[in-house]
Amino acid sequence: MGQGDEARVDALIAQVIAREGNYSDHPADRGGATRFGITEAVARADGYAGPMRRLPLARAEAIYRQRYWAAPGLDRVAARAPRLAEELFDTGVNMGPNVASAFLQRALNALNRGARDYPDLAVDGRIGAATLAALDAFLRHRGAAGEVVLLKAIEALQGERYLALAEHRPANEAFLYGWLADRLS
């Protein structure tokens, strides 16, 4: 990753942290206590054993960089479609990297013109060689406008999931407005 790419990822992480805030323990949030948007479960999985109120900012940034950018392979997506990678990062932070990756795979499958442009993908939530090859083929066939269309498709899937979460668990209505408002920024 080049310095410009690192700066872009740093900026994405800073935006998420600014949006998520310092510490929260909302009674309706199934994620429980969070600091900088990092849930206690994620912090513990990363090896942090201290109180969530004291999770260091540098630790949160490292978790975002590793778990939500590097591990899902968003650097490889960014090399092809930077805005798409940014949206997948944001979606992964909110819904999990596998969900974000599955959204990409579903959108690519629905946009491959009946598998004429490239074969359908297994929707496994992992960005591997097949997903990247499909993305390359999609962008080759659809050009620069293709990235915008993929962004819209992923945002539509994300919005539908947020609405379903609120419909299936009324306590989530406390968060729905903020979830949707974040999509506008």
Side-chain angles (χ1 to χ4, degrees):
M1 181 172 3
Q3 280 189 345
D5 297 328
E6 286 184 36
R8 183 175 68 240
V9 176
D10 288 345
L12 290 172
I13 292 168
Q15 290 168 11
V16 166
I17 289 171
R19 187 170 55 244
E20 293 290 340
N22 189 334
Y23 177 82
S24 174
D25 194 5
H26 193 288
D29 188 349
R30 285 188 171 168
T34 66
R35 179 144 188 209
F36 307 122
I38 301 295
T39 66
E40 187 168 4
V42 169
R44 300 292 180 242
D46 188 62
Y48 179 72
M52 284 305 293
R53 286 187 184 276
R54 293 196 190 132
L55 177 74
L57 176 59
R59 184 83 178 249
E61 291 167 338
I63 290 170
Y64 280 122
R65 179 177 292 283
Q66 175 53 38
R67 183 181 183 115
Y68 299 98
W69 184 263
L74 296 184
D75 53 333
R76 295 176 292 160
V77 174
R80 296 157 166 83
R83 291 179 297 168
L84 178 63
E86 291 172 10
E87 180 61 32
L88 292 171
F89 172 77
D90 188 64
T91 302
V93 165
N94 289 309
M95 298 183 175
N98 289 4
V99 172
S101 299
F103 283 175
L104 173 62
Q105 292 166 330
R106 287 178 60 197
L108 286 168
N109 283 347
L111 292 166
N112 70 0
R113 296 190 288 184
R116 287 193 315 254
D117 292 342
Y118 48 88
D120 277 339
L121 299 163
V123 180
D124 61 7
R126 293 189 313 251
I127 298 172
T131 301
L132 294 171
L135 177 58
D136 288 340
F138 176 79
L139 294 171
R140 193 170 45 254
H141 287 285
R142 297 297 187 172
E147 184 176 5
V148 174
V149 170
L150 274 175
L151 284 168
K152 287 181 180 183
I154 289 166
E155 288 169 353
L157 289 166
Q158 189 176 25
E160 192 285 327
R161 183 174 170 111
Y162 284 139
L163 288 171
L165 288 170
E167 289 170 343
H168 291 32
R169 183 174 179 258
N172 284 335
E173 289 181 12
F175 309 111
L176 181 60
Y177 184 89
W179 291 338
L180 295 171
D182 283 347
R183 306 295 57 85
L184 300 174
S185 53

